[in-house]
Amino acid sequence: MITSTSNDKVKRLTQLQASSRARREAGLFVTEGIRIIREIPGDQIQEIYCSESFYKKNKDVVEALPVKPVLLSDAVFKKVADTKTPQGILAVACQSHYELEDILNKKKLTLLVMENLQNPGNLGTLLRTGEAADITGVILSRDSVDIYNPKVIRGSMGAFLRVPFVYTDDLPDTLQKLKEKGVKTFATHLDAKKNCYEIKYPEKMALLIGNEGNGLSDVITEFADHKILIPMAGKVESLNAAVAASVLIYEIYRQKLGF
Amino acid sequence: MITSTSNDKVKRLTQLQASSRARREAGLFVTEGIRIIREIPGDQIQEIYCSESFYKKNKDVVEALPVKPVLLSDAVFKKVADTKTPQGILAVACQSHYELEDILNKKKLTLLVMENLQNPGNLGTLLRTGEAADITGVILSRDSVDIYNPKVIRGSMGAFLRVPFVYTDDLPDTLQKLKEKGVKTFATHLDAKKNCYEIKYPEKMALLIGNEGNGLSDVITEFADHKILIPMAGKVESLNAAVAASVLIYEIYRQKLGF
C-alpha cells in the first residue's frame, strides 16, 4: 500500500488530474467512481487505484475489474482525487482517438462544433445532452477545454466514452471539409431572420456553438449556412450557454423523431 | 467612509448575504452590480454601498441612483461582497411579495412549480429560461432554495425581479387550488406513456419540477394530471436537471408561439 504522496505513482496521478497537457502527452485520462470505471472497455484501462477503506468494503467488486488495483492509504487517495468526497476508486485509462473521416462517414450526421468552449461543466452537460439527443459526433477547436478534464468527465455522465469527438487545429479548414461532405451548418446569431423552429433541419447538419462569453468568432459565423435565433420573451438578453445549446439540440432531435 | 468590518452596517450586510432567514425576517435582499441595481424600481432600494475606488471612477453614475451611497473602503467592500472579484457596488432592497391569487388571476397560465429545488444555480437558470419562454409565474415549496440567495440573483440575470413567485408551506394544498382554477399539471416520470412532444399543452398549465437528486416526491407526482418523459437516445440515464426543465419549458413555448 502506498502511504506517501511523494511516491512516483502518486505524483504522476496528481499531474494527470491537473494538466491537460500531461494527459495529452501520455494519451491517458483519470476517472473516479466504480460506475464509470465499469463502463470503460477493459483493454483501455491501464491502472486502478483504491483507497484502503474502499478496498476493504468492496473487495469482490474491485477484484472483478480487469486490472489488479494498487492500494493507497485513505489520506493519499484523498490527495489524488479530484472530488471533495471521493468514493475511493479511480482508474487511469487510454484516451480514445477518432478520425474526422470516421465521424463524417455516416449517412445521417448531427454534429456539435465547439469553438473555444471554456467551461468544463458546459462541455460535460452538452456531451450528456448530445448523447441523449442522438448527436453523432463532436468537433472541438484546439483552444476548447479538454474533454478529459475531470469536471467534463463527471458532468458528461459517461457520454465522453460514447460520443465520438475530434479536436482540430484549424477549425475553418475542418468546416470546409464538412461543407464538401454536404453538411449544413447552423449558428445562432442575434441578427438572424429565422428562429430555430422555422427551420427544417437536414439529414447532415452541424450546430456551431461558441465561447460562453463571446459567442462564435466572426470567421466561424461566416461559415454558417444558416443563422438562427431562439425566440425570447421578457427582458432577459440571453440564455445560459448550456441551456441555449440544449434547447437547439432537442429541437433538432424532436424533428428527427418526427414529432 | 466605513473602514472597519466591525461596523454595524457591515455586519448587517454580511448577515443578509449569508442567511435566507435574516433576509426573510427583514424583508430585504442584497444584490451586486450597477446593471441589476438600475433595474430595481427606485422605491424598493433602501441602501446603496460603494467601494471607494468604484465611487471615484463612477461618481456620476452612482450619484444618479435614487439613494445616496454609503462608502466602504475597498477591503471592507471585498469582505461583504458575495462575488470573488466584486464590481464595487451593491444595493439593499425590499423583497417583492406576490399573492397566489394574483399569479392565478390570468386567462393564460404557464407556471413552474418547484418542489424542494436546492441548487441556487439551477433556480437562477430556470428563472432566466422561464422569463425568456414567457412563464407567467413560479410556485416554490418552502423547503426550496431562497430566490433571494445571491447565487440565484446572479444566475437569473434580473429575472427574479420580473417573474412573479410565491413560496408555499403546503404544496399539496396549493396544487389543489391550481386544480380548482382549471390549471393542468405536468410532471416528468420514467414510467410515463407519452413523451413531451406528444402533448398539446393547454392554456392553463403548470410544470412540476422536483429536487435535483430525488425528483418529485410521490405525493406531488400523484397530483400531476399528466406524466410525460423527454425522449432519450444512447445510454445516458438522465439529463442535467436545469437542462431537462429548460427543454420542457421551451417545448411549451414553441407550441404557444404556434410553431
Side-chain angles (χ1 to χ4, degrees), chain A residues 35 39 125 127-129 131-134 156-159 162 195 197-198 230-243 246-247 250-251 253-254 257 259, chain B residues 35 39 125 127-129 131-134 156-159 162 195 197-198 230-243 246-247 250-251 253-254 257 259:
Chain A
R35 196 159 163 184
E39 287 193 46
T125 298
L127 291 170
R128 182 179 176 185
T129 308
E131 186 187 6
D134 207 23
S156 85
M157 292 290 190
R162 297 179 295 255
N195 77 47
Y197 303 120
E198 294 177 289
I230 300 176
M232 289 201 287
K235 288 189 176 175
V236 279
E237 291 179 3
S238 65
L239 294 172
N240 167 295
V243 165
S246 297
V247 165
Y250 255 93
E251 171 58 15
Y253 188 43
R254 180 185 72 83
L257 291 173
F259 289 109
Chain B
R35 195 160 164 182
E39 287 192 47
T125 299
L127 291 170
R128 182 179 177 184
T129 309
E131 186 188 4
D134 206 23
S156 86
M157 292 289 190
R162 298 179 294 255
N195 77 48
Y197 303 121
E198 294 178 289
I230 300 177
M232 289 201 285
K235 287 190 177 176
V236 280
E237 291 179 3
S238 66
L239 294 171
N240 167 295
V243 165
S246 297
V247 165
Y250 256 90
E251 170 59 15
Y253 188 43
R254 180 185 72 84
L257 291 173
F259 289 108

Side-chain angles (χ1 to χ4, degrees), chain B residues 56-73:
Chain B
K56 276 186 187 158
K57 268 185 238 157
N58 304 278
K59 207 174 165 179
D60 294 351
V61 173
V62 176
E63 294 293 344
L65 292 169
V67 174
K68 211 176 136 51
V70 176
L71 291 195
L72 305 179
S73 70

Side-chain angles (χ1 to χ4, degrees), chain B residues 171-235:
Chain B
L171 188 54
D173 179 68
T174 303
L175 288 178
Q176 188 55 42
K177 286 184 180 140
L178 262 61
K179 258 196 212 311
E180 287 159 14
K181 284 272 183 184
V183 178
K184 296 291 174 198
T185 48
F186 294 79
T188 51
H189 198 277
L190 288 176
D191 299 334
K193 302 261 184 320
K194 289 201 171 182
N195 77 48
C196 59
Y197 303 121
E198 294 178 289
I199 303 281
K200 183 138 174 32
Y201 298 98
E203 282 198 347
K204 289 190 177 186
M205 66 157 293
L207 182 63
L208 310 183
I209 297 167
N211 171 271
E212 289 87 350
N214 307 317
L216 287 169
S217 69
D218 291 345
V219 174
I220 299 304
T221 304
E222 273 302 297
F223 263 92
D225 295 304
H226 301 277
K227 294 183 183 69
I228 55 176
L229 47 80
I230 300 177
M232 289 201 285
K235 287 190 177 176

